[in-house]
Amino acid sequence: MLENKAVYFSDADKGVTMDSQDPSGELAERREEAYKYLVECLAEVDDEIMEIFLADGTPNVDQLRAAMRRATVAAKVVPVACASAFKNKGVQKLLDVVVDYLPSPVDIWDINGTDPATGEAITRHVGDLQPFAALVFKIMSDPFVGRLYYFRVYSGVASQGMTVLNPRTGKRERFGRLLQMHANQREEHQEIFSGDIAAAVGLKNVTTGDTLCLESAPIALESMVFPEPVISIAVEPKTSGDRDKLTKGLLALAEEDPTFQVRSDEETGQTIISGMGELHLEIILDRLIREFKVEANTGAPQVAYREALTGSSTSDMKFVRQTGGHGQYGHCIINLTALEPGSGIVVENHVVGGNIPKEFIKPIENGIREAAASGVLAGFPVIDFKADIIDGSYHPVDSSEMAFKIAGSMAFKDAARKAGICMMEPIMKVELTTPDENMGDLIGDITSRRGTIVEINAGSNSFTRVQANIPLSELFGYATAIRSLSKGRASYSMEPAHFEKVPKQIQDKIVEKQ
């Protein structure tokens, strides 16, 4: 707070009533120290406060507030406010910080996007008089109004019944009801103006990160990038009667959360759910119970390993079946090459002279991609490779799309084995905050989990921040472990970083289990 006041909240009305008083005693001394520190920090990033500071002056509240806003909008400082949603303590002051310091829509005049038709960069200005453009950033199921599509209007005005374009699909969408949500309260509006956030009802083929714009002024705004899930578990309903409810609930949650995926294992018939960590999947299962009234049994968590080529090779593969009538004939020659991590799967056709008709090239590619998805070594997807279809042959009567698809699949698996295959495991970027006296124990624990220390920064108040890369397979139960080692004082956060090769002895154990 910039005003020289201490704020007290009443428990009787859940923190709604605030009482501002002049600080006294130790509180006044601590406030004076914090005030001097604030002025010194702002003087380093704001010229106006620097002039006052060098002249031994004292900036007033309005000057400090203006300087704080300028520095925040320029991303030079980050305001931090203390509040507790549990008892509503400090929430009002937190909202004041949002209003006073964070940028408003007019502070960022140019909105960058691309032309959906050409991919060229274009700019859209903010304001109600500009062509309409909005970004859908969240999808949620509401038990009373159905599916809600939260969007933020960057330019123009949204109105009920308005027809808009989704550049990703190229299809039109129509706004039904427009609602502004306040916790569990809903306010219906006829129009939503530039800079506002609202929820729409009635959209069809829209997902998180989609742009909605006018068909006469198309633009694709920058979308969010979602990481691939890194942990999977098998789920099944506790009763056979809950099977449909479980499927419906999981699909609804997958539509809301792009980092949560649901699939069915064709070999085992199990339903597999994948997410960003143990806590993520625990919350998904809790929502199944609370929102969809269905409970599920779960299997042990499984790490989403990948497989990768270690070299290059060529395979010449024929698929021939003769059954009395029309047979099956497919023949292709492919060359496999390992690519750099993150390159994805590339399939190119280099067949010349019509040795393989064009209509059979796509089935070969489909066969290669399906074989890669099912894996070669332990059933995990093969990533980051290039497959060149270089030659082959066909039979004028017996050749079919199915025959070439099978030939492509067989050729890929044969070439992958020749090239050499290894397993890759997800590595998590872990940031750990620990008391100094427990740092040695926690670093030793990281090392025992095959982790590598990236950076150690000494913090304030006898706490140290450690950044490390640790294999996900070693992080199950990590929260419990660090609590035990630090007597509950350490905390951590993690996010996916990259994939690395699995050590040979661990790879052998994984292959044996499959």
mmCIF file of all heavy atoms in Angstrom, residues 203-250:
data_model
loop_
_atom_site.group_PDB
_atom_site.id
_atom_site.type_symbol
_atom_site.label_atom_id
_atom_site.label_comp_id
_atom_site.label_asym_id
_atom_site.label_seq_id
_atom_site.Cartn_x
_atom_site.Cartn_y
_atom_site.Cartn_z
ATOM 1 N N LEU A 203 -21.941 -21.662 -29.303
ATOM 2 C CA LEU A 203 -20.912 -21.949 -30.300
ATOM 3 C C LEU A 203 -20.793 -23.466 -30.498
ATOM 4 O O LEU A 203 -21.121 -24.247 -29.611
ATOM 5 C CB LEU A 203 -19.573 -21.361 -29.869
ATOM 6 C CG LEU A 203 -19.546 -19.844 -29.616
ATOM 7 C CD1 LEU A 203 -18.162 -19.394 -29.188
ATOM 8 C CD2 LEU A 203 -19.990 -19.078 -30.861
ATOM 9 N N LYS A 204 -20.306 -23.881 -31.644
ATOM 10 C CA LYS A 204 -20.273 -25.311 -31.990
ATOM 11 C C LYS A 204 -18.846 -25.854 -32.050
ATOM 12 O O LYS A 204 -18.360 -26.459 -31.125
ATOM 13 C CB LYS A 204 -20.985 -25.530 -33.340
ATOM 14 C CG LYS A 204 -22.435 -25.066 -33.366
ATOM 15 C CD LYS A 204 -23.315 -25.856 -32.420
ATOM 16 C CE LYS A 204 -24.778 -25.396 -32.520
ATOM 17 N NZ LYS A 204 -25.623 -26.087 -31.520
ATOM 18 N N ASN A 205 -18.184 -25.604 -33.175
ATOM 19 C CA ASN A 205 -16.865 -26.194 -33.420
ATOM 20 C C ASN A 205 -15.762 -25.209 -33.038
ATOM 21 O O ASN A 205 -15.024 -24.692 -33.883
ATOM 22 C CB ASN A 205 -16.765 -26.592 -34.896
ATOM 23 C CG ASN A 205 -15.532 -27.424 -35.175
ATOM 24 O OD1 ASN A 205 -14.944 -28.003 -34.265
ATOM 25 N ND2 ASN A 205 -15.125 -27.469 -36.437
ATOM 26 N N VAL A 206 -15.645 -24.938 -31.727
ATOM 27 C CA VAL A 206 -14.667 -23.982 -31.218
ATOM 28 C C VAL A 206 -13.873 -24.640 -30.095
ATOM 29 O O VAL A 206 -14.445 -25.323 -29.246
ATOM 30 C CB VAL A 206 -15.354 -22.704 -30.690
ATOM 31 C CG1 VAL A 206 -14.344 -21.776 -30.028
ATOM 32 C CG2 VAL A 206 -16.063 -21.972 -31.828
ATOM 33 N N THR A 207 -12.566 -24.454 -30.106
ATOM 34 C CA THR A 207 -11.708 -25.003 -29.059
ATOM 35 C C THR A 207 -10.876 -23.883 -28.439
ATOM 36 O O THR A 207 -10.817 -22.765 -28.962
ATOM 37 C CB THR A 207 -10.764 -26.092 -29.605
ATOM 38 O OG1 THR A 207 -9.920 -25.509 -30.606
ATOM 39 C CG2 THR A 207 -11.551 -27.232 -30.223
ATOM 40 N N THR A 208 -10.207 -24.206 -27.335
ATOM 41 C CA THR A 208 -9.368 -23.239 -26.649
ATOM 42 C C THR A 208 -8.258 -22.732 -27.576
ATOM 43 O O THR A 208 -7.575 -23.515 -28.221
ATOM 44 C CB THR A 208 -8.737 -23.879 -25.404
ATOM 45 O OG1 THR A 208 -9.774 -24.371 -24.558
ATOM 46 C CG2 THR A 208 -7.911 -22.861 -24.634
ATOM 47 N N GLY A 209 -8.096 -21.410 -27.632
ATOM 48 C CA GLY A 209 -7.075 -20.805 -28.483
ATOM 49 C C GLY A 209 -7.570 -20.358 -29.839
ATOM 50 O O GLY A 209 -6.810 -19.767 -30.609
ATOM 51 N N ASP A 210 -8.854 -20.604 -30.150
ATOM 52 C CA ASP A 210 -9.409 -20.191 -31.443
ATOM 53 C C ASP A 210 -9.690 -18.690 -31.460
ATOM 54 O O ASP A 210 -10.050 -18.090 -30.446
ATOM 55 C CB ASP A 210 -10.708 -20.940 -31.745
ATOM 56 C CG ASP A 210 -10.454 -22.338 -32.275
ATOM 57 O OD1 ASP A 210 -9.284 -22.670 -32.509
ATOM 58 O OD2 ASP A 210 -11.425 -23.106 -32.452
ATOM 59 N N THR A 211 -9.535 -18.095 -32.640
ATOM 60 C CA THR A 211 -9.900 -16.697 -32.868
ATOM 61 C C THR A 211 -11.305 -16.640 -33.434
ATOM 62 O O THR A 211 -11.696 -17.487 -34.236
ATOM 63 C CB THR A 211 -8.917 -16.037 -33.845
ATOM 64 O OG1 THR A 211 -7.598 -16.070 -33.283
ATOM 65 C CG2 THR A 211 -9.298 -14.589 -34.120
ATOM 66 N N LEU A 212 -12.077 -15.655 -33.015
ATOM 67 C CA LEU A 212 -13.387 -15.358 -33.604
ATOM 68 C C LEU A 212 -13.308 -13.950 -34.178
ATOM 69 O O LEU A 212 -12.890 -13.019 -33.477
ATOM 70 C CB LEU A 212 -14.493 -15.456 -32.556
ATOM 71 C CG LEU A 212 -14.658 -16.822 -31.879
ATOM 72 C CD1 LEU A 212 -15.706 -16.747 -30.780
ATOM 73 C CD2 LEU A 212 -15.033 -17.894 -32.904
ATOM 74 N N CYS A 213 -13.692 -13.776 -35.444
ATOM 75 C CA CYS A 213 -13.555 -12.471 -36.088
ATOM 76 C C CYS A 213 -14.654 -12.292 -37.125
ATOM 77 O O CYS A 213 -15.439 -13.212 -37.391
ATOM 78 C CB CYS A 213 -12.182 -12.332 -36.739
ATOM 79 S SG CYS A 213 -11.851 -13.584 -38.009
ATOM 80 N N LEU A 214 -14.693 -11.107 -37.718
ATOM 81 C CA LEU A 214 -15.647 -10.852 -38.799
ATOM 82 C C LEU A 214 -15.171 -11.536 -40.077
ATOM 83 O O LEU A 214 -13.976 -11.558 -40.371
ATOM 84 C CB LEU A 214 -15.780 -9.352 -39.048
ATOM 85 C CG LEU A 214 -16.459 -8.518 -37.958
ATOM 86 C CD1 LEU A 214 -16.541 -7.064 -38.396
ATOM 87 C CD2 LEU A 214 -17.860 -9.049 -37.661
ATOM 88 N N GLU A 215 -16.113 -12.069 -40.831
ATOM 89 C CA GLU A 215 -15.752 -12.710 -42.100
ATOM 90 C C GLU A 215 -15.199 -11.693 -43.090
ATOM 91 O O GLU A 215 -14.362 -12.018 -43.927
ATOM 92 C CB GLU A 215 -16.984 -13.411 -42.677
ATOM 93 C CG GLU A 215 -16.664 -14.376 -43.795
ATOM 94 C CD GLU A 215 -17.860 -15.230 -44.179
ATOM 95 O OE1 GLU A 215 -18.971 -14.960 -43.685
ATOM 96 O OE2 GLU A 215 -17.676 -16.174 -44.969
ATOM 97 N N SER A 216 -15.631 -10.432 -42.977
ATOM 98 C CA SER A 216 -15.164 -9.390 -43.890
ATOM 99 C C SER A 216 -13.791 -8.847 -43.510
ATOM 100 O O SER A 216 -13.145 -8.171 -44.311
ATOM 101 C CB SER A 216 -16.169 -8.230 -43.907
ATOM 102 O OG SER A 216 -16.341 -7.700 -42.595
ATOM 103 N N ALA A 217 -13.344 -9.132 -42.276
ATOM 104 C CA ALA A 217 -12.028 -8.666 -41.823
ATOM 105 C C ALA A 217 -11.349 -9.790 -41.043
ATOM 106 O O ALA A 217 -11.190 -9.707 -39.825
ATOM 107 C CB ALA A 217 -12.163 -7.409 -40.965
ATOM 108 N N PRO A 218 -10.934 -10.864 -41.734
ATOM 109 C CA PRO A 218 -10.386 -12.035 -41.021
ATOM 110 C C PRO A 218 -9.014 -11.763 -40.422
ATOM 111 O O PRO A 218 -8.197 -11.050 -41.005
ATOM 112 C CB PRO A 218 -10.305 -13.103 -42.123
ATOM 113 C CG PRO A 218 -10.189 -12.327 -43.395
ATOM 114 C CD PRO A 218 -10.971 -11.060 -43.190
ATOM 115 N N ILE A 219 -8.781 -12.344 -39.259
ATOM 116 C CA ILE A 219 -7.485 -12.271 -38.602
ATOM 117 C C ILE A 219 -7.371 -13.468 -37.664
ATOM 118 O O ILE A 219 -8.361 -13.908 -37.080
ATOM 119 C CB ILE A 219 -7.317 -10.954 -37.806
ATOM 120 C CG1 ILE A 219 -5.901 -10.864 -37.210
ATOM 121 C CG2 ILE A 219 -8.367 -10.835 -36.714
ATOM 122 C CD1 ILE A 219 -5.601 -9.528 -36.543
ATOM 123 N N ALA A 220 -6.186 -14.045 -37.563
ATOM 124 C CA ALA A 220 -5.925 -15.132 -36.615
ATOM 125 C C ALA A 220 -4.974 -14.593 -35.553
ATOM 126 O O ALA A 220 -3.813 -14.283 -35.843
ATOM 127 C CB ALA A 220 -5.310 -16.341 -37.329
ATOM 128 N N LEU A 221 -5.475 -14.442 -34.337
ATOM 129 C CA LEU A 221 -4.658 -13.937 -33.241
ATOM 130 C C LEU A 221 -3.711 -15.028 -32.755
ATOM 131 O O LEU A 221 -3.945 -16.214 -32.992
ATOM 132 C CB LEU A 221 -5.548 -13.459 -32.097
ATOM 133 C CG LEU A 221 -6.547 -12.352 -32.439
ATOM 134 C CD1 LEU A 221 -7.433 -12.052 -31.239
ATOM 135 C CD2 LEU A 221 -5.830 -11.083 -32.890
ATOM 136 N N GLU A 222 -2.669 -14.618 -32.061
ATOM 137 C CA GLU A 222 -1.699 -15.583 -31.548
ATOM 138 C C GLU A 222 -2.368 -16.492 -30.526
ATOM 139 O O GLU A 222 -2.977 -16.027 -29.571
ATOM 140 C CB GLU A 222 -0.518 -14.860 -30.895
ATOM 141 C CG GLU A 222 0.559 -15.802 -30.397
ATOM 142 C CD GLU A 222 1.728 -15.066 -29.769
ATOM 143 O OE1 GLU A 222 1.684 -13.821 -29.725
ATOM 144 O OE2 GLU A 222 2.680 -15.736 -29.317
ATOM 145 N N SER A 223 -2.242 -17.781 -30.743
ATOM 146 C CA SER A 223 -2.891 -18.753 -29.870
ATOM 147 C C SER A 223 -1.917 -19.241 -28.803
ATOM 148 O O SER A 223 -0.715 -18.966 -28.855
ATOM 149 C CB SER A 223 -3.405 -19.941 -30.680
ATOM 150 O OG SER A 223 -4.089 -20.851 -29.855
ATOM 151 N N MET A 224 -2.471 -19.971 -27.831
ATOM 152 C CA MET A 224 -1.626 -20.554 -26.793
ATOM 153 C C MET A 224 -0.965 -21.827 -27.312
ATOM 154 O O MET A 224 -1.522 -22.503 -28.170
ATOM 155 C CB MET A 224 -2.465 -20.902 -25.554
ATOM 156 C CG MET A 224 -3.045 -19.681 -24.850
ATOM 157 S SD MET A 224 -4.540 -19.072 -25.627
ATOM 158 C CE MET A 224 -5.758 -20.114 -24.875
ATOM 159 N N VAL A 225 0.219 -22.131 -26.777
ATOM 160 C CA VAL A 225 0.930 -23.361 -27.122
ATOM 161 C C VAL A 225 0.811 -24.307 -25.933
ATOM 162 O O VAL A 225 1.189 -23.960 -24.811
ATOM 163 C CB VAL A 225 2.406 -23.093 -27.439
ATOM 164 C CG1 VAL A 225 3.137 -24.395 -27.728
ATOM 165 C CG2 VAL A 225 2.523 -22.144 -28.629
ATOM 166 N N PHE A 226 0.276 -25.490 -26.169
ATOM 167 C CA PHE A 226 0.044 -26.439 -25.087
ATOM 168 C C PHE A 226 1.042 -27.587 -25.183
ATOM 169 O O PHE A 226 1.187 -28.198 -26.243
ATOM 170 C CB PHE A 226 -1.386 -26.995 -25.150
ATOM 171 C CG PHE A 226 -2.438 -25.930 -25.093
ATOM 172 C CD1 PHE A 226 -3.140 -25.558 -26.228
ATOM 173 C CD2 PHE A 226 -2.712 -25.275 -23.911
ATOM 174 C CE1 PHE A 226 -4.100 -24.571 -26.183
ATOM 175 C CE2 PHE A 226 -3.674 -24.284 -23.849
ATOM 176 C CZ PHE A 226 -4.369 -23.922 -24.985
ATOM 177 N N PRO A 227 1.732 -27.907 -24.078
ATOM 178 C CA PRO A 227 2.697 -29.011 -24.108
ATOM 179 C C PRO A 227 2.007 -30.358 -24.191
ATOM 180 O O PRO A 227 0.826 -30.493 -23.840
ATOM 181 C CB PRO A 227 3.444 -28.849 -22.771
ATOM 182 C CG PRO A 227 2.478 -28.138 -21.881
ATOM 183 C CD PRO A 227 1.682 -27.234 -22.776
ATOM 184 N N GLU A 228 2.755 -31.350 -24.650
ATOM 185 C CA GLU A 228 2.227 -32.700 -24.728
ATOM 186 C C GLU A 228 2.130 -33.300 -23.322
ATOM 187 O O GLU A 228 2.978 -33.032 -22.469
ATOM 188 C CB GLU A 228 3.149 -33.579 -25.583
ATOM 189 C CG GLU A 228 3.057 -33.312 -27.070
ATOM 190 C CD GLU A 228 1.724 -33.744 -27.656
ATOM 191 O OE1 GLU A 228 1.241 -34.836 -27.317
ATOM 192 O OE2 GLU A 228 1.160 -32.969 -28.437
ATOM 193 N N PRO A 229 1.092 -34.114 -23.053
ATOM 194 C CA PRO A 229 0.987 -34.770 -21.741
ATOM 195 C C PRO A 229 2.189 -35.664 -21.479
ATOM 196 O O PRO A 229 2.773 -36.240 -22.401
ATOM 197 C CB PRO A 229 -0.293 -35.604 -21.862
ATOM 198 C CG PRO A 229 -1.086 -34.952 -22.943
ATOM 199 C CD PRO A 229 -0.076 -34.402 -23.905
ATOM 200 N N VAL A 230 2.563 -35.777 -20.188
ATOM 201 C CA VAL A 230 3.770 -36.536 -19.841
ATOM 202 C C VAL A 230 3.490 -37.706 -18.911
ATOM 203 O O VAL A 230 4.400 -38.476 -18.592
ATOM 204 C CB VAL A 230 4.825 -35.611 -19.192
ATOM 205 C CG1 VAL A 230 5.311 -34.571 -20.175
ATOM 206 C CG2 VAL A 230 4.262 -34.938 -17.940
ATOM 207 N N ILE A 231 2.250 -37.864 -18.450
ATOM 208 C CA ILE A 231 1.948 -38.959 -17.536
ATOM 209 C C ILE A 231 0.577 -39.527 -17.878
ATOM 210 O O ILE A 231 -0.330 -38.795 -18.268
ATOM 211 C CB ILE A 231 1.989 -38.478 -16.062
ATOM 212 C CG1 ILE A 231 1.844 -39.653 -15.100
ATOM 213 C CG2 ILE A 231 0.954 -37.412 -15.790
ATOM 214 C CD1 ILE A 231 2.107 -39.285 -13.656
ATOM 215 N N SER A 232 0.439 -40.846 -17.785
ATOM 216 C CA SER A 232 -0.804 -41.515 -18.170
ATOM 217 C C SER A 232 -1.204 -42.529 -17.109
ATOM 218 O O SER A 232 -0.340 -43.152 -16.470
ATOM 219 C CB SER A 232 -0.642 -42.234 -19.521
ATOM 220 O OG SER A 232 -0.256 -41.340 -20.529
ATOM 221 N N ILE A 233 -2.506 -42.707 -16.916
ATOM 222 C CA ILE A 233 -3.028 -43.775 -16.060
ATOM 223 C C ILE A 233 -4.238 -44.397 -16.736
ATOM 224 O O ILE A 233 -4.900 -43.767 -17.566
ATOM 225 C CB ILE A 233 -3.414 -43.280 -14.647
ATOM 226 C CG1 ILE A 233 -4.520 -42.217 -14.736
ATOM 227 C CG2 ILE A 233 -2.207 -42.759 -13.895
ATOM 228 C CD1 ILE A 233 -5.037 -41.794 -13.361
ATOM 229 N N ALA A 234 -4.509 -45.639 -16.379
ATOM 230 C CA ALA A 234 -5.693 -46.331 -16.891
ATOM 231 C C ALA A 234 -6.846 -46.106 -15.913
ATOM 232 O O ALA A 234 -6.657 -46.134 -14.695
ATOM 233 C CB ALA A 234 -5.402 -47.821 -17.037
ATOM 234 N N VAL A 235 -8.048 -45.863 -16.448
ATOM 235 C CA VAL A 235 -9.222 -45.665 -15.599
ATOM 236 C C VAL A 235 -10.337 -46.592 -16.077
ATOM 237 O O VAL A 235 -10.430 -46.938 -17.259
ATOM 238 C CB VAL A 235 -9.722 -44.207 -15.624
ATOM 239 C CG1 VAL A 235 -8.689 -43.272 -15.049
ATOM 240 C CG2 VAL A 235 -10.090 -43.764 -17.039
ATOM 241 N N GLU A 236 -11.183 -46.996 -15.140
ATOM 242 C CA GLU A 236 -12.361 -47.782 -15.471
ATOM 243 C C GLU A 236 -13.447 -47.450 -14.463
ATOM 244 O O GLU A 236 -13.163 -47.095 -13.305
ATOM 245 C CB GLU A 236 -12.053 -49.278 -15.454
ATOM 246 C CG GLU A 236 -11.613 -49.795 -14.111
ATOM 247 C CD GLU A 236 -11.304 -51.282 -14.132
ATOM 248 O OE1 GLU A 236 -11.100 -51.837 -15.225
ATOM 249 O OE2 GLU A 236 -11.273 -51.880 -13.040
ATOM 250 N N PRO A 237 -14.722 -47.510 -14.854
ATOM 251 C CA PRO A 237 -15.804 -47.190 -13.928
ATOM 252 C C PRO A 237 -15.911 -48.241 -12.827
ATOM 253 O O PRO A 237 -15.600 -49.416 -13.044
ATOM 254 C CB PRO A 237 -17.051 -47.181 -14.822
ATOM 255 C CG PRO A 237 -16.693 -48.060 -15.976
ATOM 256 C CD PRO A 237 -15.217 -47.881 -16.198
ATOM 257 N N LYS A 238 -16.355 -47.810 -11.630
ATOM 258 C CA LYS A 238 -16.495 -48.751 -10.526
ATOM 259 C C LYS A 238 -17.648 -49.714 -10.749
ATOM 260 O O LYS A 238 -17.642 -50.832 -10.238
ATOM 261 C CB LYS A 238 -16.673 -47.987 -9.210
ATOM 262 C CG LYS A 238 -15.387 -47.338 -8.727
ATOM 263 C CD LYS A 238 -15.482 -46.883 -7.280
ATOM 264 C CE LYS A 238 -14.122 -46.416 -6.778
ATOM 265 N NZ LYS A 238 -14.165 -45.998 -5.360
ATOM 266 N N THR A 239 -18.652 -49.273 -11.510
ATOM 267 C CA THR A 239 -19.776 -50.156 -11.848
ATOM 268 C C THR A 239 -19.986 -50.119 -13.351
ATOM 269 O O THR A 239 -19.685 -49.110 -14.008
ATOM 270 C CB THR A 239 -21.068 -49.714 -11.136
ATOM 271 O OG1 THR A 239 -21.461 -48.418 -11.625
ATOM 272 C CG2 THR A 239 -20.866 -49.641 -9.625
ATOM 273 N N SER A 240 -20.500 -51.207 -13.905
ATOM 274 C CA SER A 240 -20.717 -51.273 -15.358
ATOM 275 C C SER A 240 -21.731 -50.233 -15.821
ATOM 276 O O SER A 240 -21.670 -49.767 -16.953
ATOM 277 C CB SER A 240 -21.187 -52.675 -15.752
ATOM 278 O OG SER A 240 -22.371 -53.021 -15.056
ATOM 279 N N GLY A 241 -22.651 -49.865 -14.922
ATOM 280 C CA GLY A 241 -23.656 -48.872 -15.300
ATOM 281 C C GLY A 241 -23.089 -47.467 -15.451
ATOM 282 O O GLY A 241 -23.741 -46.598 -16.034
ATOM 283 N N ASP A 242 -21.888 -47.246 -14.898
ATOM 284 C CA ASP A 242 -21.277 -45.917 -14.983
ATOM 285 C C ASP A 242 -20.378 -45.752 -16.206
ATOM 286 O O ASP A 242 -19.755 -44.711 -16.363
ATOM 287 C CB ASP A 242 -20.434 -45.652 -13.723
ATOM 288 C CG ASP A 242 -21.293 -45.342 -12.509
ATOM 289 O OD1 ASP A 242 -22.469 -44.982 -12.706
ATOM 290 O OD2 ASP A 242 -20.791 -45.480 -11.376
ATOM 291 N N ARG A 243 -20.305 -46.767 -17.061
ATOM 292 C CA ARG A 243 -19.366 -46.697 -18.182
ATOM 293 C C ARG A 243 -19.664 -45.516 -19.104
ATOM 294 O O ARG A 243 -18.767 -44.752 -19.481
ATOM 295 C CB ARG A 243 -19.404 -48.011 -18.975
ATOM 296 C CG ARG A 243 -18.338 -48.092 -20.065
ATOM 297 C CD ARG A 243 -18.296 -49.487 -20.658
ATOM 298 N NE ARG A 243 -17.981 -50.475 -19.638
ATOM 299 C CZ ARG A 243 -16.750 -50.749 -19.226
ATOM 300 N NH1 ARG A 243 -15.713 -50.083 -19.733
ATOM 301 N NH2 ARG A 243 -16.536 -51.664 -18.309
ATOM 302 N N ASP A 244 -20.934 -45.338 -19.475
ATOM 303 C CA ASP A 244 -21.288 -44.236 -20.375
ATOM 304 C C ASP A 244 -21.066 -42.886 -19.707
ATOM 305 O O ASP A 244 -20.610 -41.928 -20.346
ATOM 306 C CB ASP A 244 -22.744 -44.369 -20.827
ATOM 307 C CG ASP A 244 -22.942 -45.548 -21.773
ATOM 308 O OD1 ASP A 244 -21.940 -46.015 -22.348
ATOM 309 O OD2 ASP A 244 -24.097 -45.992 -21.930
ATOM 310 N N LYS A 245 -21.383 -42.791 -18.400
ATOM 311 C CA LYS A 245 -21.191 -41.533 -17.676
ATOM 312 C C LYS A 245 -19.708 -41.187 -17.592
ATOM 313 O O LYS A 245 -19.319 -40.020 -17.712
ATOM 314 C CB LYS A 245 -21.792 -41.629 -16.274
ATOM 315 C CG LYS A 245 -23.310 -41.674 -16.251
ATOM 316 C CD LYS A 245 -23.840 -42.008 -14.872
ATOM 317 C CE LYS A 245 -23.491 -40.948 -13.852
ATOM 318 N NZ LYS A 245 -24.063 -41.247 -12.515
ATOM 319 N N LEU A 246 -18.858 -42.206 -17.400
ATOM 320 C CA LEU A 246 -17.417 -41.966 -17.337
ATOM 321 C C LEU A 246 -16.903 -41.447 -18.676
ATOM 322 O O LEU A 246 -16.145 -40.467 -18.730
ATOM 323 C CB LEU A 246 -16.685 -43.247 -16.951
ATOM 324 C CG LEU A 246 -15.153 -43.161 -16.927
ATOM 325 C CD1 LEU A 246 -14.689 -42.201 -15.844
ATOM 326 C CD2 LEU A 246 -14.529 -44.539 -16.721
ATOM 327 N N THR A 247 -17.304 -42.107 -19.759
ATOM 328 C CA THR A 247 -16.860 -41.679 -21.089
ATOM 329 C C THR A 247 -17.310 -40.260 -21.390
ATOM 330 O O THR A 247 -16.522 -39.428 -21.865
ATOM 331 C CB THR A 247 -17.395 -42.639 -22.161
ATOM 332 O OG1 THR A 247 -16.942 -43.969 -21.880
ATOM 333 C CG2 THR A 247 -16.918 -42.224 -23.541
ATOM 334 N N LYS A 248 -18.568 -39.966 -21.086
ATOM 335 C CA LYS A 248 -19.095 -38.629 -21.340
ATOM 336 C C LYS A 248 -18.342 -37.577 -20.527
ATOM 337 O O LYS A 248 -17.996 -36.511 -21.030
ATOM 338 C CB LYS A 248 -20.591 -38.590 -20.989
ATOM 339 C CG LYS A 248 -21.257 -37.249 -21.238
ATOM 340 C CD LYS A 248 -22.729 -37.292 -20.865
ATOM 341 C CE LYS A 248 -23.384 -35.930 -21.050
ATOM 342 N NZ LYS A 248 -24.829 -35.952 -20.655
ATOM 343 N N GLY A 249 -18.079 -37.887 -19.251
ATOM 344 C CA GLY A 249 -17.371 -36.938 -18.401
ATOM 345 C C GLY A 249 -15.950 -36.688 -18.861
ATOM 346 O O GLY A 249 -15.495 -35.542 -18.904
ATOM 347 N N LEU A 250 -15.225 -37.761 -19.233
ATOM 348 C CA LEU A 250 -13.846 -37.608 -19.679
ATOM 349 C C LEU A 250 -13.754 -36.807 -20.968
ATOM 350 O O LEU A 250 -12.876 -35.949 -21.121
ATOM 351 C CB LEU A 250 -13.193 -38.982 -19.867
ATOM 352 C CG LEU A 250 -12.923 -39.791 -18.598
ATOM 353 C CD1 LEU A 250 -12.400 -41.174 -18.953
ATOM 354 C CD2 LEU A 250 -11.924 -39.066 -17.693
#
